[in-house]
Amino acid sequence: MSSQPLVLGIETSCDETAVGIVRGRTLLANVISSSVEEHARFGGVVPEIASRAHLEAMPFVIKQALREAKVALRDIDAIGVTAGPGLIGALLVGTSAAEGLALALDKPIYGVNHLSAHLAVDALDESRSLQPAIGLLVSGGHSSIIEVTDLAKGVSVLGATIDDAAGEAFDKIARLLELDFPGGPAIDRLAKSGDPEAIDFPRGLQSSDYNFSFSGLKTAVSRYLKQVPSAVKADVAASFQEAVVDVLLTKAIRACTEKGIDSLLIAGGVAANSRLRAEAQRRCHLAKIELRTPPAALCTDNGAMVAALTSLAVSGGVSPSTIGFSTLSTVPLDQPTWS
Amino acid sequence: MTKVLVIDTSTDRTSAGLVSEDGVLANHFHDDPLAHGEVLPKLVAQILAAESTVDLVAIAMGPGPFTGLRVGIAFGEAFALAREIPWVGVSSLGAMAQAHNDPDFIVAIDARRREFFCEHYRESELVAPARTLQREELSEFTIPIYYEPPTVSAIAALALAGQTTTEPIYIRKPDAYPAPKGITFRPWTQMDLVPIYALEKSIYLDDPWSLEQFKEEYAGKSRQYLVAEFEGVVVGYAGVMLAGDVTDILTLTVAPEFRRRGIAREFLKRMVDWSRNQKVDAMMLEMRVGNAEAEPLYLESGFRKIAERANYYGPGLTAIVMRKELGK
Ligand SMILES: [Zn+2]
């Protein structure tokens, strides 16, 4: 297979049906169909609704990605698909479609780790070399600090949240503030008109390790709202957001310093948060650390990230997954592809 | 000669076969209700290793347990797309019925939660559209009931005969309901008794529980009472009690101006969860005949009418006794 493999990647771990196509490290197509609107009225992702939407959208999303990339399925060298972690019923729609494509085309299939894939979008910036980095992965399902040396072979997790993920905390606080679902963008918007220093919310886990805890912060916000019914919502949103951003960046930058790695890669849905991006810029500049943040469109769940990780695996000589590999809802982050 | 790749994941069995007008060329299956995703690709790989030409994909579209069902459909559609060949879907129950010619019979697929997806055939004609029946309801039929999964040749035959569909046959709606906005749910406290009694009196005009009764309930053991609160005001309450090998819903009340907001549904869900934790077989409740608002909710939640009690709520007021099996 060429060193510039043409790879189609499928992602269905939550509420986005997504297909991306890459050639080597070049992004050719990234098509996403979201059922988020259908979930909004339930205040959270409803697994059965997500799974039905995935099945309905899948063939259209595949065809649209092929059109955008101007390639045909028969030209594809390998298929990549998110095998976990995620909602099992949702994942199975993606893995089954991927297996169908791979068997029909007689091409290798790679079941990949959703979390490693989030970091792999970094490879799509062809202007950079693939150098070691500290990864800060923040999304609705995960908040982790990861040492990345070779994404295709494995990463090491330095720390993770011990309770809620950052994105989950955003969703919960948004609900308390009676904002729309998903909570992340809603708080980001509201916080712009608020004072981030209005309320001094606790930062949680000030320990010397790389773990996070957001449940104390969540309780503090909820208690504050009860005690101060006249609170300005924008100030609460801004101050809450400030606390999350502070905790995430303090630990991530300390990891860079302590590990002697001068590159910070921020990925995952929460990496689209404008305050996190701005503050990361400021602190990295001060600490003389190179900041790598993928474009916002590649931070939320997408198929390009799956294709990117698969492409790295193919180029790196990683063996494909066996036909009928298992789909798992939880997997260790340091396992990038399935055997 | 048309080579039809047949895929069926609509029952506990995963089947894949290659069928032509001449008959079945290959037929592989594996029985495991939780492994469709792992099994199907292996079965198809086995078929393709012997014969890789496929002209048409025929997929069993259900009804069947949703997660497994979608494995076959997603796989089959993608396979057809990649091979640039057509695919068609057929009814799983329709394919099952092909195997039988009794004058009157039922075909049934386990729908989990003690329910079955069923079709009733009489003189080879479908009597009523596919629907779900509880195990107890199904057991009342005296005609033959067939549970064998459809054969690959029956699925291929329907596909070639053009009796096809393009949509998954779900029958059941997704388990989803809107989370009531701004409403908090919590166990009751002694402070709630008076507001609850006030709400009770305003709703059950002819026969409300007395404050004493609520106090007794509050002192009682083996029960769970919940209140729904909106801006600090009690807008609903519900109670369930352990009674031997079942739990009994004692009350489920929502202030009229707060109905149709998912509060009753949330109460019911929490009472079901509580009941499951008590490791009982079933839940029971009594409901006034003609309680048009509550009945659909109970039916949808798996409650079925098992008896009527005349004059239960007073002269001329009949109670319906409903039961929901909790199963595994
Ligand atoms: Zn994600």
Side-chain angles (χ1 to χ4, degrees):
Chain A
M1 203 176 292
S2 93
S3 63
Q4 296 279 304
L6 182 64
V7 178
L8 180 140
I10 297 178
E11 152 64 33
T12 61
S13 65
C14 190
D15 59 347
E16 253 104 29
T17 315
V19 173
I21 299 176
V22 304
R23 190 188 300 276
R25 288 177 55 191
T26 312
L27 176 63
L28 301 183
N30 188 29
V31 176
I32 299 170
S33 159
S34 174
S35 58
V36 68
E37 302 266 297
E38 292 169 64
H39 301 290
R41 63 196 182 97
F42 301 112
V45 172
V46 181
E48 178 59 24
I49 291 182
S51 302
R52 289 186 184 194
H54 285 312
L55 183 64
E56 215 169 289
M58 185 58 72
F60 300 99
V61 177
I62 294 174
K63 282 187 230 169
Q64 183 61 26
L66 293 166
R67 265 196 295 273
E68 279 183 20
K70 299 191 179 62
V71 296
L73 273 174
R74 58 181 170 278
D75 303 325
I76 300 285
D77 295 312
I79 307 285
V81 62
T82 301
L87 304 168
I88 199 88
L91 288 166
L92 273 169
V93 175
T95 55
S96 299
E99 298 260 24
L101 293 178
L103 279 170
L105 300 167
D106 196 19
K107 292 292 156 101
I109 182 169
Y110 289 80
V112 311
N113 189 314
H114 179 84
L115 303 167
S116 303
H118 266 302
L119 298 169
V121 288
D122 183 51
L124 297 175
D125 184 347
E126 296 164 272
S127 67
R128 298 176 198 272
S129 59
L130 295 169
Q131 74 205 56
I134 291 295
L136 172 62
L137 179 58
V138 274
S139 70
H142 233 82
S143 306
S144 313
I145 294 184
I146 300 145
E147 187 176 347
V148 182
T149 37
D150 183 346
L151 264 178
K153 305 262 162 69
V155 295
S156 42
V157 180
L158 302 177
T161 178
I162 58 167
D163 40 57
D164 293 349
E168 246 176 298
F170 271 96
D171 280 338
K172 286 177 182 168
I173 298 304
R175 224 172 289 159
L176 283 178
L177 293 172
E178 296 178 322
L179 303 177
D180 291 339
F181 175 86
I187 286 187
D188 196 353
R189 272 195 304 277
L190 181 62
K192 286 197 165 72
S193 57
D195 176 5
E197 285 167 12
I199 311 146
D200 187 18
F201 286 128
R203 264 47 177 169
L205 277 197
Q206 299 283 353
S207 51
S208 59
D209 60 16
Y210 300 112
N211 291 332
F212 304 111
S213 165
F214 294 108
S215 79
L217 172 60
K218 194 186 68 197
T219 314
V221 176
S222 134
R223 199 181 306 131
Y224 183 85
L225 285 170
K226 278 209 188 84
Q227 282 166 357
V228 190
S230 60
V232 179
K233 280 187 181 178
D235 287 349
V236 176
S239 302
F240 158 75
Q241 178 172 276
E242 200 61 18
V244 175
V245 166
D246 184 25
V247 168
L248 292 173
L249 289 176
T250 301
K251 294 218 169 179
I253 288 180
R254 209 180 65 225
C256 290
T257 319
E258 288 175 3
K259 296 284 166 185
I261 295 175
D262 59 359
S263 216
L264 175 63
L265 163 56
I266 304 184
V270 179
N273 180 277
S274 64
R275 181 69 194 132
L276 178 65
R277 288 171 97 97
E279 184 63 9
Q281 200 93 51
R282 195 182 69 81
R283 294 196 194 186
C284 283
H285 181 76
L286 285 176
K288 298 200 166 43
I289 291 167
E290 179 205 28
L291 174 65
R292 292 143 71 175
T293 43
L298 292 178
C299 281
T300 45
D301 291 352
N302 64 82
M305 68 190 208
V306 177
L309 179 57
T310 306
S311 175
L312 292 175
V314 172
S315 305
V318 176
S319 308
S321 307
T322 47
I323 292 289
F325 61 87
S326 333
T327 302
L328 295 174
S329 52
T330 52
V331 284
L333 181 65
D334 52 12
Q335 184 193 335
T337 60
W338 265 240
S339 48
Chain B
M1 197 175 69
T2 317
K3 290 206 176 83
V4 187
L5 176 65
V6 176
I7 289 165
D8 176 23
T9 56
S10 55
T11 70
D12 288 351
R13 173 169 293 178
T14 300
S15 289
L18 195 64
V19 180
S20 78
E21 287 92 340
D22 291 349
V24 176
L25 309 173
N27 180 16
H28 303 290
F29 66 88
H30 180 79
D31 292 325
D32 183 340
L34 297 173
H36 299 99
E38 285 92 341
V39 170
L40 179 65
K42 291 179 186 146
L43 300 184
V44 173
Q46 218 174 323
I47 292 170
L48 295 175
E51 170 58 71
S52 85
T53 309
V54 175
D55 305 300
L56 173 72
V57 179
I59 309 168
M61 302 296 272
F66 302 150
T67 301
L69 176 63
R70 278 189 290 262
V71 164
I73 302 174
F75 180 98
E77 272 196 76
F79 186 94
L81 181 67
R83 285 288 180 97
E84 298 175 31
I85 56 174
W87 72 271
V88 293
V90 307
S91 151
S92 303
L93 289 169
M96 282 163 75
Q98 299 292 304
H100 308 285
N101 47 21
D102 310 58
D104 207 3
F105 67 95
I106 286 171
V107 281
I109 292 174
D110 190 343
R112 308 280 145 78
R113 298 187 240 157
R114 301 177 66 96
E115 286 187 341
F116 289 82
F117 297 119
C118 301
E119 269 179 1
H120 184 177
Y121 287 82
R122 196 172 286 149
E123 308 300 338
S124 306
E125 291 289 329
L126 184 58
V127 178
R131 61 185 168 135
T132 50
L133 290 176
Q134 287 212 318
R135 181 179 297 172
E136 292 71 20
E137 294 172 307
L138 196 54
S139 67
E140 277 164 26
F141 284 88
T142 51
I143 55 176
I145 303 168
Y146 296 108
Y147 299 93
E148 300 96 277
T151 62
V152 293
S153 47
I155 294 169
L158 288 184
L160 291 169
Q163 290 184 37
T164 59
T165 168
T166 55
E167 297 295 324
I169 304 168
Y170 283 125
I171 300 183
R172 259 194 210 142
K173 289 208 181 74
D175 283 334
Y177 50 86
K181 262 205 168 169
I183 308 278
T184 45
F185 293 85
R186 56 172 176 80
W188 71 355
T189 71
Q190 205 160 6
M191 311 247 298
D192 297 318
L193 298 183
V194 172
I196 285 176
Y197 173 60
L199 191 53
E200 170 91 8
K201 263 196 313 188
S202 72
I203 292 172
Y204 304 107
L205 299 173
D206 17 274
D207 187 23
W209 282 9
S210 66
L211 187 55
E212 282 312 306
Q213 271 172 296
F214 280 113
K215 285 182 181 165
E216 276 166 32
E217 283 298 305
Y218 188 75
K221 287 199 172 59
S222 306
R223 59 200 78 197
Q224 187 204 39
Y225 271 82
L226 297 165
V227 295
E229 213 176 38
F230 180 75
E231 295 181 342
V233 176
V234 172
V235 297
Y237 51 93
V240 58
M241 173 183 149
L242 183 62
D245 55 357
V246 301
T247 60
D248 198 1
I249 295 181
L250 303 166
T251 180
L252 199 177
T253 307
V254 178
E257 61 274 32
F258 283 88
R259 288 182 192 162
R260 314 211 140 267
R261 290 167 74 162
I263 295 176
R265 200 180 299 264
E266 182 66 26
F267 274 140
L268 194 53
K269 177 182 175 285
R270 287 170 186 239
M271 292 193 288
V272 170
D273 289 345
W274 185 84
S275 301
R276 283 194 201 280
N277 284 332
Q278 308 304 311
K279 308 266 180 276
V280 293
D281 302 335
M283 298 177 71
M284 308 271 287
L285 64 87
E286 282 92 30
M287 188 191 69
R288 213 166 278 210
V289 159
N291 188 339
E293 280 193 73
E295 195 171 2
L297 173 64
Y298 291 137
L299 286 172
E300 188 187 311
S301 306
F303 282 89
R304 293 294 179 267
K305 181 178 148 179
I306 55 166
E308 278 187 13
R309 287 185 192 150
N311 305 325
Y312 184 84
Y313 290 106
L317 293 174
T318 302
I320 298 178
V321 183
M322 297 183 97
R323 182 180 166 103
K324 171 187 170 67
E325 303 299 329
L326 291 174
K328 281 164 269 157

